[in-house]
Amino acid sequence: MKNIAVLGSTGSIGKNTLEVVRNLNRNGYPVSVKYISANSNVELLAAQIEEFKPKAAVIFNEASFNDLKSRSLDHKCEILCGQAGINEIASRDDFELVVNALVGFSGLIPTTEAIKHGKDIALANKESLVVAGELIYSMLRGSEAHLLPVDSEHSAILQCLQGEPMKQVTKLILTASGGPFRKFTKEEMPNVTVEQALKHPNWVMGSKITIDSATLMNKGFEIIEAKWLFNIEAENIEVLIHPQSIIHSMVEFSDGSVKAQLGVPDMKVPIQYAFTYPERVRSDFPRMDFKQLKNLTFEEPDLEKFECLKLAYDVIKAGGSYPIVLNGANEAAVELFLKGKIRFIDIPALIKSALDKHENHVSPSLESIVGIDSWSRKFVYEAALELA
Ligand SMILES: NC(=O)c1ccc[n+]([C@@H]2O[C@H](COP(=O)([O-])OP(=O)(O)OC[C@H]3O[C@@H](n4cnc5c(N)ncnc54)[C@H](OP(=O)(O)O)[C@@H]3O)[C@@H](O)[C@H]2O)c1
């Protein structure tokens, strides 16, 4: 029996994770959900409590906490609130694996808490590695915890690397769909709407990562994520636009051979692999039908049109605390864009201003990471007022 906690169980990855749990239980691989968490979606969290019968549920928003507590559910479990609730469950010894499906910076402290308590982490929350890769890997060295990627690209790379020593790897190739604006001209970009940006061609995801995919910032984050997960220099990680999202990523080896992992775009596959790694378990998920495939195409990303990816490359070169600013400024700018307060093209402009103002810190502590994140958001909120 695998005992797990699902943080962010009401989100896109969280719901897919619970679908994986149903699949594994149907296919002879028992999984018990001991803990779940949400920010404010009381309705769905209550339904998940009834179905999965966890020991405790954590809800971040205080009003939602009171709402959930006031409900008379058939399954009685502890209802905890906020970061204190996450810290409390992380310290319990009745589960082995945490699925971190929280969005943005909110996922960082849960990642560090899980490592402190020696829990394995199926990590969807790539932002944890973007802002604190160095710190997380130094914590992992003194812990029994392991990180397992959930991102489809990183899961693809992990699958391609099975049986292959890292010293034979010459290049990781991260594929990207190119998002909804792949075919737009640079001149069309100032007028794109929130509705257009939220229409991802191949994946259904939470709104923040959908906008990150439209700006290609998501791919920049994934380079940083891959650098830490696979201990490889960023200059050996290439980004390739592959609009069909069938090849989830590739690895090139010293003899010139390339391995790719393919499949229908469905997050349940990488989530399940993180659960069962290095084994595989049967699934009832949709299968590839190669006869239906018309073509697989590849192109280089346009860094002039997708300035966020260019900024990510610059930040990777600069290192230190710049990735924290990249992430914090991006989160604030995406939030403002989703609220209709700034234009799509203001997102990279605001992030660039924050990066230009920042003074680098080498090997920041958790406390300074939190401080730099707050500074970056505040900077963007203030700078955005001047745009209005
Ligand atoms: N979606 C995908 O297909 C996909 C693919 C690869 C990687 N990822 C990564 O997976 C992570 C989750 O993405 P997602 O698309 O699943 O996001 P999402 O749909 O927005 O879900 C986020 C989850 O976190 C909770 N949450 C939001 N803000 C919170 C806060 N401040 N404190 C505590 N909990 C909070 C939400 O609760 P409520 O429901 O109550 O708001 C929800 O359960 C991201 O890091 C993303 O980059 C996602």
Side-chain angles (χ1 to χ4, degrees), residues 83 87 100 104-117 125 127-139 320-321 324 361-375:
Q83 192 56 54
N87 295 356
N100 186 342
F105 194 81
S106 69
L108 173 62
I109 306 289
T111 298
T112 55
E113 283 300 308
I115 298 172
K116 266 192 220 158
H117 295 284
N125 182 261
E127 295 90 343
S128 290
L129 283 178
V130 171
V131 299
E134 186 181 347
L135 178 78
I136 286 173
Y137 272 86
S138 76
M139 289 178 74
S321 52
I324 310 166
H361 297 221
V362 178
S363 303
S365 64
L366 188 54
E367 202 184 353
S368 33
I369 293 171
V370 172
I372 295 165
D373 173 72
S374 307
W375 173 85

Side-chain angles (χ1 to χ4, degrees), residues 121-159:
I121 306 167
L123 189 71
N125 182 261
K126 65 192 84 186
E127 295 90 343
S128 290
L129 283 178
V130 171
V131 299
E134 186 181 347
L135 178 78
I136 286 173
Y137 272 86
S138 76
M139 289 178 74
L140 280 168
R141 280 191 285 277
S143 162
E144 285 175 10
H146 300 96
L147 278 194
L148 295 147
V150 162
D151 240 336
S152 56
E153 294 79 358
H154 304 75
S155 176
I157 290 168
L158 183 65
Q159 295 181 52

Side-chain angles (χ1 to χ4, degrees), residues 323-341:
I324 310 166
V325 179
L326 183 79
N327 181 73
N330 179 63
E331 268 183 49
V334 169
E335 180 196 324
L336 293 172
F337 172 68
L338 283 167
K339 288 181 176 157
K341 303 227 160 114

Side-chain angles (χ1 to χ4, degrees), residues 7-16 37-42 44 59-61 100-104 106-107 123-127 150-153 203-210 212 218 221-222 267:
L7 306 182
S9 60
T10 52
S12 166
I13 292 289
K15 286 186 278 184
N16 272 307
S37 89
N39 186 33
S40 59
N41 190 342
V42 176
L44 183 56
I59 192 145
F60 270 74
N61 180 288
N100 186 342
L102 297 167
V103 64
S106 69
L123 189 71
N125 182 261
K126 65 192 84 186
E127 295 90 343
V150 162
D151 240 336
S152 56
E153 294 79 358
W203 298 92
V204 179
M205 309 180 285
S207 56
K208 192 257 179 188
I209 185 178
T210 306
D212 288 348
N218 184 50
F221 288 163
E222 287 179 7
M267 285 309 296

Side-chain angles (χ1 to χ4, degrees), residues 27-216:
N27 285 290
Y29 187 100
V31 178
S32 170
V33 179
K34 298 284 185 212
Y35 303 100
I36 53 179
S37 89
N39 186 33
S40 59
N41 190 342
V42 176
E43 223 48 64
L44 183 56
L45 197 68
Q48 292 175 345
I49 291 172
E50 297 292 34
E51 179 181 350
F52 291 95
K53 306 192 178 357
K55 286 196 165 174
V58 182
I59 192 145
F60 270 74
N61 180 288
E62 215 172 312
S64 310
F65 167 72
N66 292 326
D67 178 356
L68 187 63
K69 274 200 91 122
S70 68
R71 297 189 181 210
S72 70
L73 301 177
D74 288 341
H75 176 69
K76 306 287 170 229
C77 75
E78 278 175 273
I79 310 287
L80 305 167
C81 189
Q83 192 56 54
I86 295 288
N87 295 356
E88 165 59 31
I89 61 168
S91 68
R92 303 220 177 148
D93 55 11
D94 53 0
F95 71 105
E96 310 87 54
L97 176 84
V98 182
V99 180
N100 186 342
L102 297 167
V103 64
F105 194 81
S106 69
L108 173 62
I109 306 289
T111 298
T112 55
E113 283 300 308
I115 298 172
K116 266 192 220 158
H117 295 284
K119 311 289 184 197
D120 288 341
I121 306 167
L123 189 71
N125 182 261
K126 65 192 84 186
E127 295 90 343
S128 290
L129 283 178
V130 171
V131 299
E134 186 181 347
L135 178 78
I136 286 173
Y137 272 86
S138 76
M139 289 178 74
L140 280 168
R141 280 191 285 277
S143 162
E144 285 175 10
H146 300 96
L147 278 194
L148 295 147
V150 162
D151 240 336
S152 56
E153 294 79 358
H154 304 75
S155 176
I157 290 168
L158 183 65
Q159 295 181 52
C160 293
L161 286 173
Q162 293 312 295
E164 306 280 2
M166 243 353 248
K167 65 177 193 296
Q168 300 293 359
V169 172
T170 43
K171 192 159 67 173
L172 304 183
I173 304 165
L174 290 174
T175 54
S177 72
F181 305 128
R182 181 173 63 88
K183 289 191 177 155
F184 279 47
T185 61
K186 194 161 190 257
E187 293 65 43
E188 286 174 302
M189 298 301 275
N191 301 318
V192 305
T193 63
V194 172
E195 202 191 4
Q196 286 173 308
L198 283 174
K199 268 204 189 105
H200 194 280
N202 304 332
W203 298 92
V204 179
M205 309 180 285
S207 56
K208 192 257 179 188
I209 185 178
T210 306
I211 302 302
D212 288 348
S213 301
T215 60
L216 293 200

Side-chain angles (χ1 to χ4, degrees), residues 156-157 160-161 164 168-175 238 240 247 249-262 298:
I157 290 168
C160 293
L161 286 173
E164 306 280 2
Q168 300 293 359
V169 172
T170 43
K171 192 159 67 173
L172 304 183
I173 304 165
L174 290 174
T175 54
E238 183 181 321
L240 198 56
I247 295 182
S249 277
M250 300 184 256
V251 179
E252 183 198 85
F253 297 94
S254 52
D255 59 358
S257 180
V258 176
K259 275 166 97 175
Q261 188 262 343
L262 289 76
F298 306 95

